[in-house]
Amino acid sequence: MRVYPFGHDGIIGGRLSLYMSSMFFLICALGGGYIYARIKHIRIYRILSTLCLIIIFLLPMLYRHIRVMSANTHHIQQTHTFIKQIATQLNPKACVLVYKASERAFGYYTQLDNLTIPHAVFDSDLISFQQLLQNTSNCETVWILASHFPKEPWENQLKDLALNIDEKATIYTDTGSILIVLSHK
């Protein structure tokens, strides 16, 4: 896990960039003050430079708020609650199938919660997924976790496929993710 929010990839990382950022901002402020002092006697330049400085300082905040307001479900995937649910209700005769794009999130949250959940990974090709489901006939319960999936028709096709196999399948949905529970009892 990353403790410091800057510089994870690249030459400068972690605490070093944390300490260097204050020096960088100090140098930028001194440069802005120098330029402001040089054009102090020219009123129009002083107004323009003040506006530019205000805009420069407000842009990151505006960007953050716009990004949060315009967030779509592709970026926000609520899989952690589903993984906890699988872990608490998992029995030895159960199989867990994880969609390939969800595999990193699954690995992250199982490691974060110190869970060991054996699983198989399936791709977006639903025909090969159907064959994989036929190989799970020795499992009492099949858990299917998917997030970061293609557009909506794929999600509906996955639900239809699950309901064709088990009419009593339980389907849980959350922001951008889906958990399907099939019973072979």
Side-chain angles (χ1 to χ4, degrees):
M1 288 199 271
R2 307 284 188 209
V3 176
Y4 302 103
F6 347 69
H8 301 300
D9 301 325
I11 298 170
I12 300 173
R15 282 184 273 187
L16 179 59
S17 65
L18 174 68
Y19 296 120
M20 287 181 62
S21 63
S22 60
M23 294 300 292
F24 173 75
F25 289 127
L26 183 63
I27 291 170
C28 288
L30 288 173
Y34 175 78
I35 292 172
Y36 188 77
R38 298 293 264 174
I39 59 172
K40 188 177 181 181
H41 62 281
I42 306 173
R43 183 173 173 80
I44 189 81
Y45 289 131
R46 189 173 57 194
I47 292 170
L48 285 176
S49 65
T50 303
L51 287 175
C52 286
L53 284 174
I54 290 171
I55 289 171
I56 287 171
F57 285 118
L58 288 180
L59 276 178
M61 184 178 66
L62 287 174
Y63 172 73
R64 222 179 351 242
H65 287 295
I66 289 170
R67 195 178 75 193
V68 167
M69 290 187 318
S70 66
N72 60 28
T73 58
H74 179 72
H75 299 291
I76 301 171
Q77 310 290 331
Q78 299 297 338
T79 56
H80 194 197
T81 54
F82 289 155
I83 294 169
K84 284 182 179 178
Q85 182 177 351
I86 292 170
T88 56
Q89 299 176 5
L90 190 66
N91 61 18
K93 294 183 180 178
C95 296
V96 178
L97 304 176
V98 178
Y99 178 57
K100 184 173 181 147
S102 310
E103 189 177 17
R104 286 188 178 201
F106 185 81
Y108 172 76
Y109 287 122
T110 53
Q111 181 182 2
L112 183 71
D113 294 337
N114 289 329
L115 302 172
T116 304
I117 302 174
H119 64 282
V121 178
F122 66 95
D123 206 349
S124 60
D125 180 24
L126 292 178
I127 296 169
S128 62
F129 174 66
Q130 190 171 10
Q131 293 170 351
L132 180 64
L133 277 177
Q134 291 170 353
N135 293 337
T136 61
S137 59
N138 58 343
C139 300
E140 284 183 6
T141 309
V142 178
W143 298 81
I144 303 166
L145 176 67
S147 65
H148 302 85
F149 40 78
K151 302 282 184 199
E152 195 162 316
W154 186 87
E155 178 185 2
N156 291 334
Q157 291 171 352
L158 181 66
K159 288 177 184 177
D160 292 340
L161 180 63
L163 289 172
N164 286 340
I165 293 171
D166 180 13
E167 297 103 19
K168 297 178 182 178
T170 309
I171 300 174
Y172 303 97
T173 57
D174 202 348
T175 308
S177 59
I178 185 170
L179 176 67
I180 302 172
V181 184
L182 305 175
S183 287
H184 289 300
K185 292 179 183 177

